[in-house]
Amino acid sequence: MASLPADSPLLSVKSGRVKAARRLARRVSRAESRLFLVEGPQAVREALDLPGCAVEVFAVQEAAGSHPDIHGRAMAAGVPWRLVDEAALASLTETVHPQGLVAVCRFLDRPLVDVLPDATSEGTGLVAVCADVRDPGNAGTVIRCADAAGASAVVLTGTSVDPYNGKAVRAGVGSLFHLGLAIEPDTAVVVGELQRRGYQVLAADGAGETDLDDALDEGRLARPTAWLFGNEAWGLPDEVAALADHRVRIPMHGRAESLNLATAAAVCLYASARAQRRRDRG
Ligand SMILES: C[S@@+](CC[C@H](N)C(=O)[O-])C[C@H]1O[C@@H](n2cnc3c(N)ncnc32)[C@H](O)[C@@H]1O
């Protein structure tokens, strides 16, 4: 493994590089530079594994010894490894125990047409669309869940939260680096593009006319599918739900009014994953 020169300077909170990275805590600075921060060994490792994603790594002195594989990845990729003191590292993170590593990364979202595979091509044919999802923890959890269920892309539409927000990135636990991500203002455009590519679009809606269990039992989830999820407070407006091919409700057997958005996403995405894998096994 390549090692750092013994005289590598230890950067403090006053360093220009640390100050520039710290500005990425603000959405406007992220948007201007198309850069964001990830913290902790797992996320930094994943960022380094994605070619061209990590721009630089800030690390306390012990980090290279504690995580030799991460240091090796950075050296191999030619990503600068900047030694910082504890205060400088703390100034770049939002968690109490960031475990000594923060990476500056390039934005990952791409135009919608680039992240959506045609439904007829190889792959699971599973996409999650979040319309006006505002809570960063929910957005990150949906991205993580979509990744786990084998989805190829997540699309954030309307006034959805910035997926590069620190809380969203942490909730995604590295899944942001695994699947396609698009950010589109107009949900109708996204639904139209999905349908044009051969996906059935299912709106997850507590008042939907179709019961999820019935759809699963009848084999209707085996088709390439995009799920549309709504805002935490007001759900999917009628005119948005009406764009979908079907509105699907997860049966509520108890007295809860609705499920949390990310929980509903887990139920729907896994129902599709199960149906599609059953179909693929014949
Ligand atoms: C917290 S819910 C919104 C609740 C809101 N009061 C409403 O009227 O829809 C957020 C999102 O989770 C999904 N969701 C929650 N419960 C659901 C259910 N029982 N069936 C289908 N989707 C559900 C929907 O996509 C919904 O837009």
Side-chain angles (χ1 to χ4, degrees):
M1 182 185 76
S3 59
L4 290 165
D7 58 354
S8 277
L10 198 61
L11 304 179
S12 75
V13 286
K14 293 188 179 150
S15 144
R17 288 198 176 281
V18 174
K19 283 182 184 168
R22 192 158 58 236
R23 281 197 282 277
L24 299 176
R26 295 170 51 229
R27 183 172 191 167
V28 64
S29 300
R30 290 194 295 271
E32 272 167 23
S33 59
R34 287 191 59 81
L35 296 172
F36 71 110
L37 297 173
V38 303
E39 57 188 74
Q42 182 59 25
V44 172
R45 187 182 287 114
E46 303 253 8
L48 286 165
D49 280 346
L50 191 65
C53 176
V55 174
E56 58 186 340
V57 176
F58 293 96
V60 296
Q61 253 169 328
E62 302 74 37
S66 313
H67 306 286
D69 65 310
I70 300 178
H71 182 239
R73 281 170 162 87
M75 296 298 105
V79 174
W81 184 272
R82 307 203 192 282
L83 291 179
V84 289
D85 63 27
E86 296 280 353
L89 190 90
S91 78
L92 295 175
T93 67
E94 296 173 359
T95 51
V96 183
H97 298 293
Q99 300 179 70
L101 286 164
V102 171
V104 174
C105 297
R106 292 190 176 87
F107 274 14
L108 298 160
D109 58 283
R110 290 178 288 139
L112 181 66
V113 290
D114 292 349
V115 302
L116 294 182
D118 285 340
T120 48
S121 67
E122 290 297 311
T124 61
L126 188 57
V127 171
V129 182
C130 296
D132 295 323
V133 168
R134 305 299 279 274
D135 178 75
N138 272 339
T141 305
V142 172
I143 290 170
R144 180 182 187 182
C145 175
D147 177 22
S152 53
V154 173
V155 186
L156 301 179
T157 70
T159 57
S160 288
V161 67
D162 176 12
Y164 304 110
N165 165 299
K167 196 171 173 204
V169 172
R170 287 196 300 284
V173 199
S175 287
L176 203 53
F177 302 111
H178 300 164
L179 35 66
L181 176 70
I183 301 172
E184 286 287 333
D186 193 337
T187 308
V189 168
V190 174
V191 172
E193 184 62 24
L194 283 157
Q195 289 168 332
R196 199 181 66 72
R197 287 173 181 249
Y199 288 82
Q200 66 171 347
V201 177
L202 303 181
D205 181 346
E209 74 277 3
T210 302
D211 181 292
L212 179 73
D213 290 342
D214 292 342
L216 185 59
D217 292 346
E218 290 160 11
R220 291 158 66 186
L221 298 184
R223 282 188 53 194
T225 298
W227 281 99
L228 186 53
F229 304 107
N231 172 272
E232 293 87 346
W234 64 79
L236 287 168
D238 288 347
E239 66 275 17
V240 176
L243 299 168
D245 298 299
H246 303 282
R247 284 136 298 277
V248 180
R249 69 178 185 281
I250 302 165
M252 306 292 291
H253 302 300
R255 294 173 60 194
E257 182 254 338
S258 65
L259 289 163
N260 158 275
L261 158 69
T263 308
V267 172
C268 294
L269 290 166
Y270 266 92
S272 287
R274 188 180 313 127
Q276 293 181 355
R277 277 165 172 68
R278 210 180 272 164
R279 174 207 60 200
D280 291 346
R281 284 200 305 266

